[in-house]
Amino acid sequence: MAEKQRRKPGETREKLMSAALTLVGKGRHFASLGIREVTRQAGVVPTSFYRHFRNMDDLGLQLVDELGLVLRRMMREARNNVLQADKLMEESVGIFINHVQANRSFFFFMAQGLAGESRAVQEGIRSEMRFFASELANDLRRLRLAEHLSDGDLELTCDLVVRSVAFSLTDLLGVSPDDDYQIDQIRRRTTRFLQLIFVGAAHWKSEGA
């Protein structure tokens, strides 16, 4: 009798992470998920969970790492496509919305995690947001769009941008992915938010400047 085909290394781990995201995408809150529910969705026995994760917080932190990869892909796409400074905000918002639409479960997880019960997951997501803001500041320096701002004021500006976009995420996830009209309204409003932030930043005088 032939041996049953063994799972590839990492396959069960990926199934468990995918199962958690699937449940989140169906409307479940990550903080309420249990190990048995996740393993049942993944089609594996509960004991196999502990070969890959210590607990649900550990699984959540691994999902944060995967979310970070999604955000970095988004940043790379923006850098490759946004060549004109005057199109920076409009095109960046469009890229953000496209990535949310293509990875809705990940962004549901992000929105939940920011206000969730798990301090570890919440801090992991906030760390990714701080990294995103730092990279945005580097891009603005490279494009010479905020040379009059001190490093501290530039960091605050970028933090406000990231927070505004994260806030718009809840609006975006609250509408149907097929509702083109509402999605376009969110796109326009988010772009306007960013334009107002940068108009204010353009007229801000840093101390000592």
Side-chain angles (χ1 to χ4, degrees):
M1 184 176 178
E3 289 184 357
K4 291 182 179 179
Q5 186 176 358
R6 294 181 181 273
R7 294 189 189 276
K8 295 178 182 178
E11 183 180 345
T12 299
R13 177 180 176 277
E14 295 300 322
K15 281 191 171 188
L16 290 166
M17 293 171 66
S18 178
L21 278 180
T22 297
L23 291 167
V24 167
K26 289 179 178 179
R28 292 298 309 282
H29 198 294
F30 181 81
S32 71
L33 296 179
I35 291 171
R36 287 189 176 277
E37 185 177 10
V38 172
T39 53
R40 183 167 58 248
Q41 176 70 32
V44 300
V45 296
T47 53
S48 66
F49 181 94
Y50 295 102
R51 299 192 193 108
H52 303 277
F53 307 104
R54 295 187 300 276
N55 48 39
M56 286 299 296
D57 266 4
D58 191 23
L59 188 151
L61 289 174
Q62 295 301 312
L63 287 176
V64 170
D65 286 345
E66 294 293 321
L67 173 65
L69 294 177
V70 171
L71 295 175
R72 284 162 177 74
R73 283 197 297 271
M74 186 169 69
M75 281 189 284
R76 283 198 301 272
E77 185 176 340
R79 286 185 180 120
N80 291 336
N81 288 278
V82 180
L83 301 177
Q84 296 175 289
D86 61 339
K87 296 289 185 181
L88 178 67
M89 286 166 279
E90 183 180 351
E91 293 188 19
S92 294
V93 170
I95 290 168
F96 166 71
I97 289 176
N98 289 340
H99 275 266
V100 172
Q101 298 296 72
N103 302 276
R104 283 178 72 86
S105 292
F106 263 122
F107 284 95
F108 269 118
F109 170 74
M110 177 178 173
Q112 289 180 1
L114 283 171
E117 298 173 5
S118 170
R119 282 292 186 90
V121 170
Q122 185 181 101
E123 180 52 35
I125 293 173
R126 291 187 182 280
S127 177
E128 290 295 336
M129 291 174 64
R130 286 193 294 270
F131 175 81
F132 198 91
S134 175
E135 289 295 291
L136 176 58
N138 289 335
D139 286 343
L140 292 177
R141 289 188 186 98
R142 177 173 54 83
L143 294 170
R144 297 184 175 180
L145 295 178
E147 292 183 302
H148 67 292
L149 293 178
S150 67
D151 287 346
D153 286 342
L154 179 58
E155 288 171 8
L156 283 174
T157 300
C158 293
D159 183 47
L160 182 56
V161 168
V162 171
R163 288 172 184 268
S164 296
V165 173
F167 182 79
S168 74
L169 177 62
T170 58
D171 291 337
L172 190 58
L173 293 174
V175 302
S176 168
D178 300 322
D179 192 337
D180 292 338
Y181 174 78
Q182 289 296 333
I183 291 171
D184 187 58
Q185 291 300 303
I186 294 168
R187 185 197 313 271
R188 291 171 181 270
R189 189 164 61 249
T190 304
T191 302
R192 195 66 172 163
F193 286 160
L194 301 193
Q195 288 171 336
L196 289 169
I197 290 170
F198 281 107
V199 166
H203 292 84
W204 183 263
K205 292 185 179 180
S206 293
E207 291 183 9

